Amino acid sequence: MPLAEAQRKYLEAHRVGHLATADRLGRPHVVPVCFACDGSSVYSVLDAKPKRVRAPALKRVRNIEENPHIAIVVDDYDEDWSRLSYLMILGTARIVTQGDEHARALGLLREKYPQYRAMALESAPVIAMTIARTVSWSARRHS
């Protein structure tokens, strides 16, 4: 399901999202992630920032292998609650390690995040999410 233009712009304007995965028993796991979107897929690379374990052993990767259903939430919080908003994207994920989609994902991520331009990411796994559904909300539309 492709995103609406307003949803794409919302994602482009935000730098961090919260990735929710669950294991085969439904136990949730949420982590902040950098992401990029091409309109029908959302990508996040398992980059060189320090982690406790190697990429294949990360909880989010193990969860995706057990249960591919994931969600990403991007939001605005403000003490002025008339400015609150969020976009939740639901879909299925897979780990991509090579090929055209991997290269395209890295290009999108490097375009959005200058820090990635200096990282050797060609062998880094990418979480590729196919968008199935979106839920968006804004206090401005409800006031």
Side-chain angles (χ1 to χ4, degrees), residues 1-9 11 37-42 87-89 131 133-134:
M1 177 186 136
L3 294 176
E5 186 62 24
Q7 293 172 324
R8 282 187 75 165
K9 288 182 179 181
L11 289 181
C37 181
D38 67 3
S40 59
S41 295
V42 178
L87 172 61
M88 179 172 49
I89 303 169
I131 299 170
R133 190 169 79 100
T134 61

Side-chain angles (χ1 to χ4, degrees), residues 85-108:
S85 64
Y86 73 87
L87 172 61
M88 179 172 49
I89 303 169
L90 301 120
T92 54
R94 64 201 179 292
I95 306 300
V96 178
T97 59
Q98 59 187 349
D100 292 342
E101 185 177 26
H102 186 267
R104 189 171 61 256
L106 292 181
L108 290 167

Side-chain angles (χ1 to χ4, degrees), residues 18-30:
H18 295 85
L19 172 68
T21 63
D23 64 18
R24 74 176 139 257
L25 298 176
R27 291 178 292 225
H29 179 71
V30 179

Side-chain angles (χ1 to χ4, degrees), residues 23-54:
D23 64 18
R24 74 176 139 257
L25 298 176
R27 291 178 292 225
H29 179 71
V30 179
V31 293
V33 294
C34 295
F35 66 91
C37 181
D38 67 3
S40 59
S41 295
V42 178
Y43 299 103
S44 180
V45 66
L46 302 171
D47 59 38
K49 290 190 295 293
K51 296 172 179 52
R52 292 183 183 163
V53 297
R54 293 176 31 95

Side-chain angles (χ1 to χ4, degrees), residues 117-135:
R117 295 175 200 155
M119 287 185 190
L121 299 173
E122 284 63 33
S123 63
V126 170
I127 296 171
M129 173 194 208
T130 301
I131 299 170
R133 190 169 79 100
T134 61
V135 178

